[in-house]
């Protein structure tokens, strides 16, 4: 794409779009182990895990349902959910930080998709 290599406002927009697309691709890899349907339950799982840790008598039907087939108790499942939440925060934050750093550059490098620009 010759226009991409030019130093014009349009080329800048194209490069920014390309950086965002690369970030989206990498974010999809991070989340790729989970189906969209599973990801839709994350807020519920997190809320139940936080509620359980604050009050072990709290109603946590989803955590209970998820814990049993894994051979975990609810406490273990709550910790698993919160650990995965924190790992996801770190991974997503690192990718978004790399995206922001690339977008902040005066000239976005032509190799913006190379692994050395990205944490994952």
């Amino acid at each position: 794409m010759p226009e991409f290599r030019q130093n014009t406002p349009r080329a800048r927009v194209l490069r920014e779009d390309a950086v965002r697309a690369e970030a989206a691709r990498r974010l999809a890899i991070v989340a790729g182990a989970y189906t969209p349907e599973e990801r839709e339950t994350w807020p519920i799982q997190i809320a139940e895990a936080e509620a359980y840790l604050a009050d072990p008598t709290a109603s946590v039907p989803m955590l209970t349902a998820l814990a049993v087939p894994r051979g975990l108790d609810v406490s273990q499942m709550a910790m698993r959910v919160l650990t995965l939440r924190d790992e996801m925060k770190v991974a997503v934050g690192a990718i978004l930080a790399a995206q922001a750093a690339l977008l902040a550059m005066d000239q976005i490098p032509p190799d913006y998709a190379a692994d050395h620009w990205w944490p994952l």
Side-chain angles (χ1 to χ4, degrees):
M1 183 183 315
E3 186 179 359
F4 186 87
R5 290 176 177 60
Q6 296 173 7
N7 190 18
T8 65
R10 172 75 180 136
R12 174 72 188 193
V13 168
L14 290 173
R15 287 190 296 271
E16 288 176 355
D17 288 348
V19 167
R20 285 187 176 91
E22 180 61 20
R25 184 187 74 77
R26 290 172 182 267
L27 290 167
I29 291 169
V30 169
Y34 305 95
T35 66
E37 294 78 15
E38 288 174 303
R39 291 192 304 267
E40 288 176 11
T41 72
W42 288 356
I44 297 165
Q45 291 182 46
I46 291 166
E48 285 191 8
E50 290 171 339
Y52 181 83
L53 291 179
D55 175 7
T57 66
S59 174
V60 290
M62 182 171 283
L63 284 188
T64 302
L66 294 171
V68 170
R70 290 178 168 90
L72 302 174
D73 62 36
V74 175
S75 174
Q76 292 169 313
M77 191 67 209
M79 291 307 301
R80 181 179 191 281
V81 166
L82 296 180
T83 297
L84 290 171
R85 175 205 58 192
D86 292 345
E87 289 172 2
M88 183 65 73
K89 283 181 184 181
V90 169
V92 169
I95 291 169
L96 293 177
Q99 172 185 277
L102 284 162
L103 293 174
M105 293 179 177
D106 288 335
Q107 290 292 320
I108 295 172
D111 70 339
Y112 65 88
D115 286 342
H116 65 87
W117 293 111
W118 301 90
L120 308 170

